[in-house]
Amino acid sequence: MKTTFILATGLALALAGCNQNTAIGNDREAQLDPPAEASPIEPASSALQNISTALVKPETMSDADVLAIGGKEGRCVFRLTEVGYPTFVYEPGSQGFIKLNGKLIPVSAAGTDRYTSGDLLVTTRLLDDEGNAGLQAQELIVVPPGAGDELGYRGYSICDQ
């Protein structure tokens, strides 16, 4: 009985720190690994060159990535979860950045809620819903160059106006 209590206490203490890692994906020891460097900024034509469209999925941006694109001030931020890192940072009707294939890809407005870089198309659509933390629900649709299908993601957005 005493051994079971000691094992249970040890397990509880070991798991207590599991939510303290701030590294993206929580797959590293944030306090030991050096801070992430910003991903390269490239147009879609080179960032997605020779990559299967089935492998192209939006990725989360690190703090270094956000700084490299000029920050979030005056922009909208799309996240896959309300507390997650940004996936798409944009100025409505102007420009934005999305991270695909480990690269930050600048996109330009091509109509209402539509952004392009070469043959890459990114669209957004606000949904009539909000998350538990009060963020606006939004849909992000990504159509990589040469793709037969679009990829849709539901998440949340907040705009710094």
Side-chain angles (χ1 to χ4, degrees):
M1 176 105 154
K2 186 176 181 182
T3 304
T4 304
F5 176 75
I6 291 171
L7 286 172
T9 303
L11 181 60
L13 289 173
L15 292 175
C18 285
N19 66 347
Q20 303 301 313
N21 191 343
T22 58
I24 289 181
N26 291 331
D27 58 353
R28 303 179 305 169
E29 291 188 53
Q31 72 277 15
L32 299 178
D33 288 334
E37 292 184 16
S39 300
I41 298 174
E42 295 183 20
S45 58
S46 62
L48 302 176
Q49 186 176 14
N50 298 325
I51 185 92
S52 170
T53 57
L55 300 176
V56 177
K57 296 184 179 22
E59 301 171 29
T60 54
M61 296 180 193
S62 67
D63 291 336
D65 291 336
V66 173
L67 286 174
I69 63 170
K72 297 182 278 190
E73 188 173 325
R75 295 175 166 172
C76 296
V77 175
F78 173 85
R79 295 179 168 98
L80 294 170
T81 65
E82 287 185 282
V83 297
Y85 287 91
T87 299
F88 182 48
V89 178
Y90 64 101
E91 296 172 54
S94 183
Q95 66 174 2
F97 289 88
I98 188 165
K99 188 172 180 180
L100 301 170
N101 194 33
K103 314 276 189 320
L104 296 167
I105 300 174
V107 292
S108 299
T112 305
D113 302 325
R114 295 173 64 86
Y115 301 85
T116 61
S117 174
D119 291 334
L120 171 69
L121 173 65
V122 178
T123 66
T124 62
R125 183 172 65 110
L126 291 176
L127 302 173
D128 191 25
D129 195 10
E130 66 179 37
N132 293 332
L135 294 184
Q136 175 70 47
Q138 187 177 42
E139 188 174 61
L140 178 74
I141 298 172
V142 179
V143 183
D149 295 319
E150 59 190 29
L151 305 170
Y153 301 89
R154 185 181 169 132
Y156 302 92
S157 69
I158 186 167
C159 294
D160 180 30
Q161 304 295 334

